Amino acid sequence: MGRSRRTIPEELLLLALDPTTGTTAQPQSLDLGLAGAQLVELALAGRIAPDGDRIAVVSPRPTGDPTLDCALELLRRRGAPVRAVHWIGGPRLGLRQTYLSHLERCGMVHAVAGQMCGVLPTTRYQATDTDISREIKARLDSAIRTGVPPDPRTAALAALAHAVGLGKHLYPGNEGRSSRSRLRDLIRHDPMGGLVAHAVMDVQNGAVAQPRRNQPPAGRQAGPGARPAPEPARGVPAQPHRGPLARVVAH
């Protein structure tokens, strides 16, 4: 995969960056969205494909993007298709920082050092060319305004933007309510984007961590007509320990 175009994770992160403060909107859900955006990008590159509610590797050939190839290799090592909610809900510590550093190397953002409470070091990231962010949002605006089915990349980006809660950041206030509603509706235009977006929302709602149900008591077998118990949750993200002198990055 060439680097002539921005990837969906990069575009999602640029949409989330506040041009004034240099912080990212919806930081916790954004981390889930970036993991989901990687899946969409790999699907568009022909490396993975949906298999029901699971993700299957159909071609392990590297894309040329180190971060995407790392995700592809992890998926390949699973051996069998993995549920989208388990993949997205798994530990992805540092993914947002990885993409911020990449955007900085590409010259799309620049780091601004500062301090919190005059003591803790902070780093914020501001776009070096706000025209890029405006162009990305203009694609969403066009899809919302015209009602014409967008291209798969824009549809997937819209689905992820809705899933991580960027609607209120992009279209704030009462005047943006109808745009937020239409942004949500764009989720139906891309099957992979829809699968991933719903998985992101399920993880946020705790669906991935639900206890297994319909499980027969110990020593008894389920009847012939019983439904199998859901797969136990795996990969629920661990909360990182933050020490008092932890370095604060864009949030």
Side-chain angles (χ1 to χ4, degrees):
M1 184 179 73
R3 297 294 295 142
S4 58
R5 70 169 72 194
R6 295 179 298 271
T7 65
I8 293 176
E10 293 165 5
E11 292 196 327
L12 183 66
L13 185 50
L14 286 170
L15 276 179
L17 272 179
D18 188 302
T20 303
T21 66
T23 61
T24 52
Q26 303 297 114
Q28 293 182 340
S29 55
L30 180 62
D31 291 342
L32 301 175
L34 290 173
Q38 288 185 313
L39 294 180
V40 176
E41 192 66 50
L42 287 170
L44 290 172
R47 303 309 196 269
I48 63 174
D51 181 6
D53 67 344
R54 297 174 182 263
I55 304 298
V57 175
V58 295
S59 173
R61 182 168 55 89
T63 66
D65 180 303
T67 309
L68 290 176
D69 288 341
C70 179
L72 179 61
E73 176 60 15
L74 289 174
L75 285 167
R76 186 193 66 79
R77 290 179 184 175
R78 295 290 184 97
V82 59
R83 287 187 64 197
V85 290
H86 288 162
W87 173 261
I88 291 169
R92 295 292 178 270
L93 300 181
L95 187 59
R96 183 165 25 123
Q97 183 59 49
T98 295
Y99 274 106
L100 284 168
S101 298
H102 169 74
L103 291 176
E104 184 182 17
R105 289 193 300 271
C106 293
M108 285 189 263
V109 301
H110 68 277
V112 180
Q115 288 184 330
M116 178 182 293
C117 301
V119 178
L120 298 179
T122 64
T123 303
R124 301 180 186 275
Y125 292 84
Q126 294 184 311
T128 56
D129 186 354
T130 55
D131 287 343
I132 296 176
S133 298
R134 282 195 290 265
E135 181 272 324
I136 297 170
K137 184 173 180 293
R139 285 168 31 217
L140 297 184
D141 292 344
S142 177
I144 287 172
R145 183 178 63 255
T146 65
V148 176
D151 63 273
R153 300 185 70 82
T154 301
L157 181 62
L160 287 162
H162 166 71
V164 303
L166 288 183
K168 291 183 179 181
H169 170 70
L170 300 171
Y171 305 103
N174 289 332
E175 64 275 14
R177 183 177 301 173
S178 61
S179 293
R180 295 196 297 270
S181 177
R182 288 192 289 268
L183 180 71
R184 180 194 62 223
D185 292 342
L186 291 176
I187 201 170
R188 70 183 187 274
H189 289 295
D190 179 64
M192 185 66 177
L195 168 65
V196 168
H198 281 111
V200 168
M201 291 184 284
D202 283 346
V203 173
Q204 293 181 85
N205 293 331
V208 70
Q210 292 297 320
R212 84 168 48 193
R213 298 178 179 176
N214 299 327
Q215 184 177 8
R220 291 178 52 191
Q221 297 296 321
R227 296 175 61 187
E231 181 179 342
R234 300 186 304 271
V236 178
Q239 294 298 318
H241 175 73
R242 297 181 182 273
L245 297 180
R247 188 169 186 268
V248 182
V249 296
H251 55 280

